[in-house]
Amino acid sequence: MERLETVSLENRPCFTGQQRKYQSFTNEESLKTAAGKLRRGVWVLSRRGWVANYMTSNCKAGISGWRHGVSGAHILCRQSTVASNESEKSMNINIIKDSIPIITSFDLHRGESDNLLGSVKAIKLKNNYTLAIQVANTAAYTGLVYQDGEIRGDLRNATAQRDQARESLVTHTVQFLQIMSHYGDTLGTERKLPKAPSLTTGQVALSQIATAVGSIWTQVDESGSTELALPLVLGDGFSKERYLSELEALNNACTLMLEKRRALAILRQQRDTLLKDVIKPRLSEYRTQVKIHFPKNHWLRTTLPKFSTSSGSNPDAVVVSGAWDTNTLKATLQWNACAHPELDHYEVRACSGSVYKTAEDYNLATLPKEQLTYQTDAGLAAMGSSIAIKVYPVTKKGRTAGSNTLKITRTSSSAVAQAA
């Protein structure tokens, strides 16, 4: 049975994936009947993935366009509603989070245009760039955007695994070397002890040190010494097998991080090329053709989507500060209140590592405008883990400004927080 999700546009004009209520339809005909009863400002998302294109008599809604969403969803909406809602917010097609609703609004607008003009008189674009091709490119672009988010999530998980394995290896390597410095001469080991690592030791150097320690550990276990209980187990019950397992986990996590970074670079090149060289030129041509085909005051002219809209003023950036709290085992942030009259909320965003890269940031939290503090342990899974954080005040019209970068590194007892 077909499952559809209806999402109100009153609070959020662009796709959010919020689940409000469900209604089931057994076939497309029953959906067509229901579509005629929709109010303005309602999107219907089909989770199965079929595409239709028809109008209903009493609301001019119909299924005039679709979009690939988080779960392969498709959209049913009235184009004029999308245009009127989204025009209230500042948007730019070159900003990733804005690009999908903007290019989707072009698809829906062209669907309305084709329905009005008919197949014979419908607007023709270069290279036979039909609505079907346009919609397919929108779906492909949207898929690349969501894949980017998924890969970044995988990268964050791999980074956490790397940090946890690194913490364990450093801690137990230091313990092992301390034992060897005391008993080494009596254990008959032939290998020179490596230098003790720290949390700032590079991955390659740490892997080499851990490999040497594993070899020495094997020699100790096979030495037959009576100075220590053999096979050697560290004070917290940490065996050589667990140590080598942590080394493998470190190497695997670092390899995965490298693979994900390479995948991101390739995917972003594909995504940006598709938008810049394929989608935008044809949408620009479509805007020109609409102005040729329809008089100035025609509703298809007045609702014609734009590549960017500017509405309202930017808020002043806030100043964020914070530190690692050894009691809560979380980073505690605080910032000054933004005085913008149309302030809507704050967004706390972060990047793995000590350098803030906008292309790689992710949303930690969306907070009400009254909240000026936040605690998190995201990205700080182990000693040596680092994150870079910014706080963004966001106005009701989508205008925003980033704060200074707050760099936090977790250590054994505290984190060094440094505002840049």
Side-chain angles (χ1 to χ4, degrees):
M1 181 174 290
E2 181 67 10
R3 190 186 191 195
L4 299 177
E5 178 183 352
T6 60
V7 181
S8 173
L9 286 183
E10 293 177 0
N11 297 322
R12 292 179 180 269
C14 57
F15 179 73
T16 64
Q18 290 181 329
Q19 299 180 0
R20 300 293 179 83
K21 63 180 181 178
Y22 293 99
Q23 184 174 359
S24 295
F25 298 89
T26 56
N27 53 52
E28 294 183 17
E29 188 60 34
S30 62
L31 171 61
K32 180 179 179 180
T33 301
K37 301 177 182 179
L38 290 175
R39 302 189 312 273
R40 280 176 60 91
V42 173
W43 291 4
V44 179
L45 312 179
S46 167
R47 293 178 178 269
R48 187 174 63 183
W50 54 266
V51 182
N53 183 18
Y54 41 37
M55 305 288 286
T56 58
S57 59
N58 60 341
C59 75
K60 270 192 175 181
I63 302 179
S64 59
W66 64 279
R67 174 178 72 184
H68 175 79
V70 174
S71 57
H74 293 75
I75 295 175
L76 159 68
C77 71
R78 179 182 171 90
Q79 162 61 26
S80 57
T81 301
V82 177
S84 62
N85 277 277
E86 292 187 348
S87 64
E88 297 173 0
K89 302 194 72 173
S90 295
M91 304 184 77
N92 189 316
I93 196 171
N94 296 314
I95 299 175
I96 299 301
K97 69 181 181 64
D98 294 345
S99 58
I100 294 176
I102 289 176
I103 62 178
T104 298
S105 67
F106 274 93
D107 295 349
L108 297 170
H109 190 279
R110 190 175 180 185
E112 297 278 16
S113 172
D114 284 3
N115 282 323
L116 184 64
L117 295 174
S119 59
V120 176
K121 296 183 179 180
I123 291 175
K124 304 295 190 299
L125 301 181
K126 293 179 181 179
N127 301 323
N128 195 30
Y129 196 79
T130 63
L131 175 60
I133 295 175
Q134 180 174 317
V135 165
N137 282 335
T138 299
Y141 176 81
T142 306
L144 291 172
V145 170
Y146 283 109
Q147 286 179 48
D148 182 280
E150 291 171 355
I151 294 175
R152 283 188 290 140
D154 293 340
L155 180 57
R156 291 195 299 273
N157 291 336
T159 301
Q161 294 168 8
R162 188 270 318 265
D163 291 349
Q164 291 168 342
R166 179 179 61 190
E167 177 186 354
S168 178
L169 278 176
V170 168
T171 299
H172 293 101
T173 298
V174 170
Q175 289 182 17
F176 179 85
L177 293 177
Q178 288 174 344
I179 294 173
M180 290 300 99
S181 65
H182 183 73
Y183 292 102
D185 292 341
T186 65
L187 296 177
T189 58
E190 300 176 358
R191 296 283 298 273
K192 182 180 178 180
L193 296 180
K195 182 179 178 180
S198 69
L199 292 170
T200 59
T201 301
Q203 186 269 332
V204 174
L206 179 56
S207 180
Q208 292 173 344
I209 292 171
T211 300
V213 165
S215 178
I216 296 172
W217 202 327
T218 298
Q219 291 182 35
V220 171
D221 285 348
E222 295 175 351
S223 68
S225 172
T226 58
E227 297 290 331
L228 290 170
L230 301 178
L232 177 63
V233 177
L234 301 183
D236 56 354
F238 203 84
S239 65
K240 181 187 72 173
E241 288 70 26
R242 284 186 61 189
Y243 183 87
L244 295 177
S245 177
E246 291 288 8
L247 174 58
E248 182 180 12
L250 173 71
N251 291 333
N252 289 342
C254 290
T255 299
L256 183 58
M257 289 172 64
L258 182 60
E259 292 175 353
K260 294 301 179 181
R261 288 193 176 108
R262 288 173 176 170
L264 274 177
I266 295 172
L267 183 145
R268 286 171 179 171
Q269 183 179 20
Q270 294 173 340
R271 178 198 66 191
D272 296 344
T273 298
L274 179 59
L275 179 63
K276 179 182 178 181
D277 297 343
V278 180
I279 294 176
K280 284 182 65 177
R282 296 287 74 78
L283 296 186
S284 179
E285 181 188 0
Y286 175 73
R287 281 181 52 82
T288 300
Q289 289 298 319
V290 167
K291 294 175 182 179
I292 293 174
H293 280 73
F294 300 101
K296 184 175 182 180
N297 294 326
H298 193 279
W299 67 272
L300 282 173
R301 285 279 298 269
T302 60
T303 61
L304 183 60
K306 300 178 181 179
F307 287 160
S308 65
T309 60
S310 180
S311 180
S313 58
N314 288 333
D316 291 333
V318 300
V319 177
V320 60
S321 59
W324 178 259
D325 190 324
T326 56
N327 294 318
T328 63
L329 297 181
K330 292 184 178 181
T332 300
L333 318 177
Q334 55 273 330
W335 55 92
N336 60 292
C338 176
H340 196 283
E342 293 192 334
L343 178 66
D344 185 68
H345 63 273
Y346 293 102
E347 290 183 1
V348 182
R349 305 188 68 81
C351 291
S352 298
S354 59
V355 178
Y356 193 93
K357 299 178 182 179
T358 303
E360 297 181 6
D361 68 359
Y362 57 95
N363 191 44
L364 283 178
T366 299
L367 306 174
K369 62 183 180 180
E370 298 80 13
Q371 185 170 340
L372 301 177
T373 63
Y374 181 66
Q375 286 190 322
T376 183
D377 58 2
L380 299 167
M383 291 185 297
S385 297
S386 297
I387 57 173
I389 294 176
K390 283 190 176 185
V391 175
Y392 289 79
V394 183
T395 69
K396 294 177 181 179
K397 295 181 178 179
R399 307 288 285 195
T400 187
S403 70
N404 58 301
T405 299
L406 179 67
K407 306 171 186 177
I408 297 181
T409 300
R410 178 173 177 166
T411 64
S412 58
S413 58
S414 64
V416 178
Q418 184 179 14

